[in-house]
Amino acid sequence: MSIESFAQTLVFGVFVGGIYGIAAMGLALVFGVLKMLNIAHGELLMLGGYATFWAFRTFGLDPFLSLGIAIPVLFLIGLLLDRTIYRHIVRQLGEEKIKNSLLVSFGLTLVIQNLAIWLFTADERTVQVNYTGGGLNLFGVAFPYARLISLAIALITTLVLSYFLHRTYPGKAILGTAEDFEAAELAGINIHRVYMMTFALGASLAAIAGTLVTVIYGISPSIGIVWTLKSLIVIVLAGTGSILGAFPAGILLGVVEAVSGAFIGSTYREVVGLVIFVLVLILRPEGLFARK
Amino acid sequence: MTKFLDVHGINASYGDIPALMDVSLKVNEGEIIALIGPNGAGKTTLMRVIAGLHQPISGTVKLGETTLHTLAAYQIVEEGMILVPEGRRLFGGLSVLDNLELGAYARRARESRFRTLKRVFEVFPLLAERQNQRANTLSGGQQQMLAIGRALMGLPKLLLLDEPSLGLAPMIVENIFDVVKLMNNQGVTIFLVEQNAHQALELANRAYILEQGRIVGKGTGMELLHNHEVQQAYLGLAPAAN
C-alpha cells in the first residue's frame, strides 16, 4: 500500500469518525444525565436526516443550512417524547429504569421505523448538491468538500456543547444533575425540567448527525439501528458518563475501521469495531476517555 | 419566637418497613434544634421527608404558613429551607466554584449569587483558595465545608444539617460547629441531626431524641445533657453506682 492511499484511508477514517462522534454524543448525553439507554436514538437520527432531506427536496435548501430546520424539529420531537413517554421511565430507579428504558425505546424504534416507511416509503434517498463531487487535493490525498464541512460541523458542535455544559449556568445544572440528581434537587434545580431539556438536546444532536449521514451516505427508514449500535460502541470506548469523549472515541473508531478495512478487507470492518468494543469492556471498562 | 418549621404526625416507610411513626416536632425561628438518636433510628429519613426527597405516608410539614409536604424538593429550596445531606453529596466532578454556583440555582438566590459567594468565601477562606479544584479532590473536612457553603449559597432561612461531623477529625468538627453557631448568629435557624450527641446538645437550644422511628424525648440542650438516661445511652457515661 502506498503512502498516499494509506493517508487517504486515515483521512476518510477521520471523516467517518466525526459522524460517529456526533451520533454517539446525543446518546451519551441522555445516558449520562437521565441514566437511560435510548435505543431509539438512531431513529431520531433517521428522522433528523429526513427533515433535512425534505427541506432540500421541498424548498431546495442546502442540506447543511437545513440544520436550521432539522435541529428545532427534532428538539420538539424530543420534548414530545420526553413528556409522553420517557418522563415516566426517568422517575424509576436503578436497574428497573435501565431495563424499562431498553424495552420501551426498542418498541419505539419499531414504531418510528414503520411510521417512516409509511410516510416516506422504504426508498433510499440522497441529496445531490453542486459541490458534492468537488474537493481539495493535497499531496495526492482527496478532501471532498461535503466531508470537510461535515467534519467541521461535528467539531463545532462538540465545542459548542462543551462550552454550554461547562461554562453556562443551565449547562452546569445538567452536569450537576448527572452527578447526583438528589443533590441537584437540594440545590434548587428542577431535575425533571433538566431531564426534558437534556432529552431534547440529545434529539437535536441526533438531528445534526442525521443531516451529516444524509449528505454523505443517503438515508432510508432502516438506518436507525445501525447508528444506535455504532453509537453504543463509541460510548463504551469513550467511557460511560463521558459525554464529550464521544468525539475522540468516534474518530478513533472511524480510523480503526478504515485501516482494518484496508488491510484485512472491508467485510471484517464491522467485526473489528465489535472486537474493540469487547476488548475495552474487558481491559478498560471505565473507557478510554473517562476522567477519573 | 414564632413557630417556623412544624412537622406533624409523620409516618414514613421504606417499602414495607416502617421508618417513622407519628413524628411531630417544631422548630422556632432563630433556634438551634438538635435531633439525636442511635443509628437506624430514622433521623436521616426524617430529614429526607422534610426536604421533600422522601414521600411520607401521612402527616404534614409546614414552614410558617406554607405547606411543604406537597412540594417537590426544589420548590422547598425556593421556600428557603435547605438540607445539607448526609455524606455531603457534592458534585464531585465539578469544581468547587461550580458546586457553590449551583447552590444558588433557586430563583430566590440566583440574582445575588456573586454577593453571597463573597460572604461564603469569608466564612470558608479555604474554599476561595481551592475554587478551581475538583470537589472530589478535597479532604473530608473541606468537602463538608463545601457542602455547607453550597447550602449557604441558596440563602437559607432554615438550614438542615444531616450528620455534619460524620467521619471528621475532632478539630474539624469543632470548626464546623463554630460555623453553625456563626450562621445562627446571623439569623439562620438550624436543625441539626447528630450522632455526636455531646457537642450537639451543648450547641442546641432544644433537642429531640428519636429511637426506632418515634420521638421518645425532648428538652433543652442542658436538660438532656444532664439527664441520666441520655447520658447512659448517648454520652457514653457509665451508669452511676448506687
Side-chain angles (χ1 to χ4, degrees):
Chain A
M1 182 183 260
S2 70
I3 291 180
E4 278 88 4
S5 67
F6 183 68
Q8 185 71 72
T9 305
L10 285 182
V11 165
F12 267 80
V14 171
F15 284 141
V16 175
I19 302 179
Y20 288 173
I22 292 305
M25 207 174 291
L27 189 61
L29 179 71
V30 169
F31 184 67
V33 179
L34 286 75
K35 319 290 181 202
M36 317 186 303
L37 200 47
N38 180 27
I39 297 293
H41 187 72
E43 316 310 310
L44 296 178
L45 181 152
M46 178 263 289
L47 290 180
Y50 272 106
T52 291
F53 170 77
W54 287 112
F56 171 78
R57 167 69 76 82
T58 318
F59 309 115
L61 200 60
D62 181 277
F64 289 117
L65 292 181
S66 69
L67 279 172
I69 292 175
I71 291 173
V73 166
L74 263 289
F75 189 86
L76 288 177
I77 292 177
L79 288 185
L80 190 74
L81 287 177
D82 181 80
R83 286 297 84 185
T84 52
I85 298 172
Y86 286 102
R87 79 187 166 104
H88 302 291
I89 300 168
V90 86
R91 283 171 202 279
Q92 299 166 346
L93 293 172
E95 207 180 322
E96 202 171 331
K97 174 153 134 181
I98 197 86
K99 272 194 284 192
N100 285 339
S101 74
L102 281 169
L103 288 171
V104 169
S105 60
F106 185 69
L108 194 65
T109 298
L110 300 177
V111 172
I112 295 178
Q113 198 177 329
N114 283 292
L115 210 61
I117 293 173
W118 180 57
L119 288 172
F120 310 134
T121 78
D123 296 346
E124 175 155 351
R125 315 276 193 159
T126 53
V127 293
Q128 293 288 327
V129 276
N130 52 17
Y131 52 78
T132 300
L136 300 174
N137 195 315
L138 299 173
F139 310 107
V141 179
F143 293 82
Y145 290 132
R147 299 212 174 213
L148 276 174
I149 298 170
S150 292
L151 185 64
I153 288 174
L155 189 62
I156 290 166
T157 303
T158 308
L159 294 176
V160 168
L161 185 67
S162 170
Y163 181 85
F164 172 70
L165 290 177
H166 293 112
R167 296 275 174 271
T168 72
Y169 213 20
K172 288 175 189 178
I174 290 176
L175 292 181
T177 306
E179 291 241 355
D180 187 331
F181 68 94
E182 280 190 346
E185 281 190 281
L186 293 176
I189 295 168
N190 179 353
I191 56 167
H192 289 287
R193 205 183 146 77
V194 167
Y195 288 151
M196 179 175 79
M197 299 314 277
T198 304
F199 193 84
L201 202 58
S204 307
L205 287 166
I208 298 174
T211 297
L212 305 186
V213 168
T214 304
V215 176
I216 305 291
Y217 302 103
I219 192 165
S220 75
S222 62
I223 63 162
I225 195 71
V226 176
W227 287 94
T228 299
L229 289 176
K230 281 281 188 248
S231 302
L232 283 175
I233 297 176
V234 172
I235 285 183
V236 167
L237 287 183
T240 50
S242 166
I243 297 161
L244 298 161
F247 189 71
I251 301 257
L252 181 69
L253 180 66
V255 169
V256 168
E257 277 189 4
V259 170
S260 59
F263 281 98
I264 52 182
S266 56
T267 1
Y268 294 105
R269 211 183 52 187
E270 305 290 321
V271 179
V272 169
L274 290 169
V275 167
I276 292 174
F277 176 82
V278 173
L279 283 180
V280 168
L281 276 181
I282 294 170
L283 298 175
R284 205 181 143 82
E286 72 273 23
L288 302 178
F289 301 99
R291 280 195 320 181
K292 254 283 160 286
Chain B
M1 279 195 285
T2 50
K3 189 164 63 183
F4 201 47
L5 178 69
D6 186 358
V7 177
H8 185 77
I10 292 290
N11 286 282
S13 67
Y14 281 102
D16 294 333
I17 305 157
L20 295 173
M21 278 154 282
D22 197 28
V23 171
S24 299
L25 55 83
K26 288 186 175 67
V27 178
N28 297 314
E29 194 159 12
E31 280 186 313
I32 299 182
I33 298 297
L35 178 70
I36 60 173
N39 252 336
K43 305 189 296 292
T44 293
T45 308
L46 181 59
M47 284 305 206
R48 289 174 58 84
V49 166
I50 294 173
L53 292 176
H54 188 88
Q55 194 64 40
I57 300 166
S58 61
T60 60
V61 181
K62 282 173 121 184
L63 186 69
E65 293 306 305
T66 318
T67 304
L68 296 188
H69 60 274
T70 51
L71 300 180
Y74 78 94
Q75 292 167 316
I76 290 174
V77 173
E78 210 67 72
E79 296 297 327
M81 189 173 79
I82 300 181
L83 168 66
V84 180
E86 186 182 16
R88 273 93 70 179
R89 307 287 290 267
L90 298 172
F91 306 122
L94 302 188
S95 71
V96 168
L97 188 62
D98 286 346
N99 269 272
L100 292 171
E101 262 191 59
L102 284 178
Y105 203 82
R107 223 163 302 142
R108 65 187 288 272
R110 197 181 294 195
E111 291 232 324
S112 51
R113 68 180 190 270
F114 297 109
R115 244 176 304 142
T116 319
L117 186 66
K118 250 184 230 159
R119 273 186 39 215
V120 169
F121 280 163
E122 278 165 24
V123 179
F124 300 112
L126 205 114
L127 295 182
E129 279 168 40
R130 314 214 157 194
Q131 54 181 294
N132 295 318
Q133 211 169 310
R134 264 163 57 198
N136 57 12
T137 63
L138 299 178
S139 72
Q142 293 163 356
Q143 289 195 9
Q144 188 61 56
M145 289 173 193
L146 178 54
I148 294 175
R150 182 177 64 183
L152 294 179
M153 289 297 293
L155 301 174
K157 292 188 276 188
L158 171 58
L159 187 63
L160 309 180
L161 294 151
D162 193 353
E163 303 272 11
S165 73
L166 199 68
L168 301 182
M171 279 254 302
I172 297 169
V173 173
E174 211 150 296
N175 206 326
I176 301 268
F177 275 53
D178 283 344
V179 169
V180 171
K181 229 180 294 177
L182 178 73
M183 287 303 112
N184 185 246
N185 286 338
Q186 294 183 2
V188 181
T189 307
I190 308 282
F191 184 28
L192 174 80
V193 162
E194 261 301 336
Q195 280 206 47
N196 194 338
H198 198 277
Q199 260 164 313
L201 290 177
E202 276 186 343
L203 183 72
N205 304 112
R206 292 189 300 121
Y208 292 88
I209 303 172
L210 190 70
E211 274 178 22
Q212 297 184 346
R214 292 174 203 278
I215 299 282
V216 296
K218 61 180 176 180
T220 66
M222 278 304 138
E223 278 168 17
L224 294 177
L225 265 180
H226 295 107
N227 178 304
H228 239 45
E229 286 164 40
V230 173
Q231 285 180 343
Q232 285 177 24
Y234 301 110
L235 303 176
L237 299 182
N242 17 326

